[in-house]
Amino acid sequence: MEAIYNFTEKDLKDKLTSNGFPGYTGRQVFEWVYKKRVSNFDSMSNLSKKLKEFLRKSFSITKLKLIKKEKSTDKTEKYLFELEDGMAIEAVLIPEKERSTLCVSTQVGCKFKCLFCVSGQDGFKRNLTASEIIGQYFAVADLKAPLKVTNIVFMGIGEPLDNFDNTIKSINILMNSAGINFSKRRISISTCGLVPEIKELAKLKLGIKLSVSLHSAENDIRDKLMPINKKYPIEELMLATREFSKVSKDLVTFECVLIEGINTSVDDARKLAKLLNRVNGKANLIPYNGSSPEIKAPTQEQLDIFTQELKDRSAFFTLRKSRGQDINAACGQLKVKYLLDQ
Ligand code: SF4
């Protein structure tokens, strides 16, 4: 049996027509599953007996099992879900006045070993299926109803572009107007900087947003923070993000966690401003506030000087706080520091 949430509308249509059912049944089943959220094939009242029987034998409608939920003092909520093979993943919901942003995971573990990221430290276990990604959305939407999830960021555990096919499949399912109908402008992918996949993503013209974990505009520093930089240095990364931005007609966001003594000097600010102006991007600055004793956030004075340098150079940036610190919702990346203004 296959998990039906792994199927886009086209996949369903192909599967059904290749088994002798009319093409229009693909749309009918898609609507029952994703729009009406029916979890029992027998309740799909406009389908023939034969089709319901086929669906029962071929597909399962699975739900993720919630094993733990934590709530931060700032109202951020972290959910731990168990997968069918016993592995676990996290999703995080950040409620704000006018929106609620859900951060979903795309892999169990991660290959990329970014310096301050907990997800990378235990290594990579496996990719999530599209069903497991969509399952995080459904599980949180159900738990929080009638509150609506208004934004989705692919920024939880794992590198979304390293699980390219399933990430794209889940986005196509989310955006389909016959189903969930999630707005493309409210979906954002965050990457550590996989250049070929950013170019691939640009070609798909999905209309979604892109953010890149940059952290420094200098290769020497970024090499240390994010080993992927040795494979795809900043110059190559910028060419790819420009390509994306040209196609999407939108600014790419560059995430920069500010760490005293590493990336907070006047020179760092000037280099960052130059980069932002060159690629027509905006920076999302987050002063470090993790728990490592060796790493410190910049002082307010350093922050003021840094941001003034950006202003003086007309660089576009926002300065924000990490959310859900007390429940480690910010583990994963320097990461789950949510792009709340996207
Ligand atoms: S920051 Fe992202 S890409 Fe880097 S190790 Fe963590 S999950 Fe992987």
Side-chain angles (χ1 to χ4, degrees):
M1 269 212 223
E2 298 179 87
I4 202 156
Y5 293 146
N6 277 326
F7 284 71
T8 62
E9 184 181 351
K10 182 177 180 308
D11 296 337
L12 277 173
K13 188 178 168 194
D14 291 348
K15 174 97 178 173
L16 296 178
T17 49
S18 65
N19 282 277
F21 296 100
Y24 66 82
T25 56
R27 165 65 69 102
Q28 286 181 319
V29 175
F30 189 85
E31 283 179 349
W32 280 113
V33 172
Y34 294 104
K35 192 177 203 163
K36 300 174 193 156
R37 294 285 318 282
V38 164
S39 55
N40 177 346
F41 296 115
D42 288 325
S43 315
M44 300 181 176
S45 54
N46 59 351
L47 307 187
S48 68
K49 248 185 168 180
K50 195 174 155 209
L51 177 52
K52 284 190 226 173
E53 176 68 17
F54 174 78
L55 294 172
R56 253 196 320 272
K57 283 189 181 151
S58 312
F59 297 109
S60 60
I61 304 182
T62 47
K63 285 190 176 177
L64 290 186
K65 185 174 159 200
L66 179 70
I67 45 180
K68 200 172 172 189
K69 181 177 143 189
E70 289 178 274
K71 192 167 186 172
S72 158
T73 48
D74 68 16
K75 296 198 168 66
T76 298
E77 291 185 15
K78 183 169 80 168
Y79 306 91
L80 190 67
F81 295 108
E82 189 181 306
L83 305 174
E84 284 195 342
D85 58 5
M87 293 195 180
I89 48 161
E90 285 175 9
V92 176
L93 184 75
I94 310 106
E96 289 193 296
K97 264 190 207 139
E98 278 155 20
R99 64 181 154 195
S100 291
T101 304
L102 176 66
C103 174
V104 293
S105 295
T106 50
Q107 297 181 315
V108 183
C110 184
K111 298 171 191 166
F112 295 95
K113 303 195 180 310
C114 302
L115 188 65
F116 308 106
C117 176
V118 178
S119 308
Q121 284 169 10
D122 283 344
F124 173 74
K125 304 284 188 304
R126 72 168 172 89
N127 281 331
L128 295 189
T129 62
S131 170
E132 288 164 336
I133 299 171
I134 291 287
Q136 294 169 64
Y137 166 75
F138 279 148
V140 175
D142 288 350
L143 281 162
K144 295 305 291 182
L147 182 98
K148 271 191 106 149
V149 173
T150 60
N151 295 59
I152 297 181
V153 290
F154 285 73
M155 207 186 212
I157 296 166
E159 162 57 56
L161 296 184
D162 187 47
N163 183 10
F164 195 87
D165 292 348
N166 291 340
T167 294
I168 299 306
K169 188 186 269 196
S170 65
I171 289 173
N172 278 322
I173 291 171
L174 283 164
M175 294 191 319
N176 189 322
S177 58
I180 302 165
N181 196 19
F182 209 94
S183 163
K184 59 188 177 189
R185 305 310 295 166
R186 290 172 177 266
I187 296 176
S188 175
I189 285 188
S190 172
T191 178
C192 63
L194 303 188
V195 165
E197 286 79 3
I198 293 173
K199 291 181 179 171
E200 262 326 287
L201 187 65
K203 280 189 207 147
L204 294 177
K205 298 184 177 161
L206 293 175
I208 60 171
K209 291 174 174 283
L210 177 70
S211 71
V212 175
S213 298
L214 182 71
H215 308 309
S216 172
E218 254 194 272
N219 278 319
D220 284 357
I221 299 173
R222 197 164 185 271
D223 278 351
K224 286 182 194 135
L225 298 174
M226 311 188 74
I228 191 68
N229 196 64
K230 291 178 190 153
K231 189 167 180 188
Y232 302 121
I234 291 171
E235 298 72 24
E236 280 185 44
L237 180 57
M238 291 312 119
L239 287 177
T241 56
R242 272 173 86 156
E243 223 170 288
F244 184 92
S245 165
K246 213 170 139 191
V247 171
S248 68
K249 298 185 178 53
D250 196 11
L251 297 181
V252 170
T253 300
F254 294 94
E255 303 157 39
C256 295
V257 171
L258 299 176
I259 302 162
E260 193 190 51
I262 294 203
N263 57 2
T264 52
S265 69
V266 169
D267 193 42
D268 292 321
R270 287 178 185 162
K271 283 181 176 148
L272 178 61
K274 200 170 160 194
L275 179 149
L276 292 171
N277 290 333
R278 212 170 48 221
V279 299
N280 194 22
K282 66 173 174 176
N284 196 23
L285 306 176
I286 307 114
Y288 177 77
N289 69 349
S291 52
S292 168
E294 292 113 47
I295 303 167
K296 275 204 272 174
T299 61
Q300 189 56 49
E301 194 191 343
Q302 285 168 324
L303 263 183
D304 292 343
I305 295 171
F306 192 93
T307 51
Q308 192 56 50
E309 286 295 330
L310 295 180
K311 281 182 203 157
D312 290 349
R313 284 159 181 77
S314 307
F316 191 15
F317 72 95
T318 50
L319 177 65
R320 52 187 62 255
K321 282 185 180 168
S322 180
R323 295 279 304 261
Q325 283 294 315
D326 54 328
I327 56 167
N328 286 326
C331 77
Q333 288 246 30
L334 292 168
K335 177 151 208 190
V336 186
K337 48 196 162 3
Y338 314 115
L339 308 183
L340 297 173
D341 61 338
Q342 295 215 12

